[in-house]
Amino acid sequence: MPLLKLIGPVPASAWIPCTFFIFPSTFHASIFLVALASGIPVAILTAAGVSQVNRSFYDVARTLGADNRFLIFKVAIPASLPNVFVGLFMGLYYSFAVLVVAEMLGAKFGLGWYLQFNTAYSAYANVYAALIVMALICAGLVRLLFVVRDRLLGWQKGIL
C-alpha cells in the first residue's frame, strides 16, 4: 500500500486547497475530502486486520477443502472485523471534522456553512444550536455503529 502510506500521514484538511482547485464544485470537493478522511484509516486498519489473521486458520480451512472465496468471506473477513470497526470509528470522527471544515471554507450549505454564516452575524445562539445538532448526529452515528459492531461481533463476547 505505498500510495496509502504516502498520503495517509497528511491530514485531510491539508488537501482542501487542492480539492477546491481540482473539483468543479465544493460539493464534489467535500465528498472527496470525506472519502479521503474516512477511507484511509479504514483501509489501513482493514489491511492490518487481514494480515494479522493467524495463518493456521487458513491452513485448517484449506485442509478441509475450502476455496479462495470461503477463505475470504468465512475466515479473513470475520477475523479482521475488530480492526475494521476500529477504522470505521476513526474514519467517522475524521470525516465529520473534515466535512465541517470543508463546508466552512467554501460550501453554500451544510452545518459548517451554517456555523460560519451565523458566526459572521453574531448569532451565537444559532451557533450553539448547530453544535448541539452536530454532536447529536455524530453521537447517533456512533451509537448505530456500536449496534452494528455488537451484532456482527457477538461471537467475541466470551473471548473478551
Side-chain angles (χ1 to χ4, degrees), residues 7 12 15 19 22-23 27-37 98:
I7 63 172
W15 293 99
T19 57
I22 294 170
F23 290 96
F27 180 73
H28 293 104
S30 296
I31 289 174
F32 174 77
L33 288 170
V34 169
L36 184 69
V98 168

Side-chain angles (χ1 to χ4, degrees), residues 7-9 17 24 35-36 38 40 48 55 61-62 76-78 84 93 105 113-114 125 127 139 145 147:
I7 63 172
L36 184 69
S38 61
I40 288 177
R55 298 288 174 217
R62 279 192 200 104
I77 291 177
V84 171
Y93 286 118
L105 293 177
W113 171 83
Y114 187 78
V127 172
L145 201 52
V147 167

Side-chain angles (χ1 to χ4, degrees), residues 4-160:
L4 286 178
K5 289 180 181 177
L6 179 68
I7 63 172
V10 179
S13 57
W15 293 99
I16 290 174
C18 297
T19 57
F20 284 157
F21 179 73
I22 294 170
F23 290 96
S25 69
T26 56
F27 180 73
H28 293 104
S30 296
I31 289 174
F32 174 77
L33 288 170
V34 169
L36 184 69
S38 61
I40 288 177
V42 172
I44 289 174
L45 285 165
T46 300
V50 170
S51 68
Q52 291 174 359
V53 174
N54 194 342
R55 298 288 174 217
S56 63
F57 294 167
Y58 295 120
D59 293 338
V60 168
R62 279 192 200 104
T63 302
L64 295 172
D67 60 347
N68 285 337
R69 182 180 168 107
F70 185 88
L71 291 175
I72 292 170
F73 289 106
K74 299 294 184 179
V75 177
I77 291 177
S80 63
L81 273 179
N83 284 21
V84 171
F85 275 102
V86 171
L88 287 172
F89 282 111
M90 290 175 60
L92 176 66
Y93 286 118
Y94 291 155
S95 64
F96 219 80
V98 168
L99 177 66
V100 171
V101 169
E103 287 176 350
M104 288 176 115
L105 293 177
K108 303 286 187 259
F109 52 87
L111 285 172
W113 171 83
Y114 187 78
L115 284 171
Q116 187 76 11
F117 179 79
N118 284 304
T119 302
Y121 288 104
S122 299
Y124 295 115
N126 293 347
V127 172
Y128 295 136
L131 290 174
I132 290 171
V133 167
M134 286 173 32
L136 291 174
I137 290 172
C138 194
L141 290 173
V142 167
R143 178 68 185 132
L144 180 66
L145 201 52
F146 268 117
V147 167
V148 170
R149 185 203 63 179
D150 292 343
R151 183 88 179 215
L152 288 176
L153 297 178
W155 55 272
Q156 280 190 333
K157 290 224 190 259
I159 297 172
L160 301 174

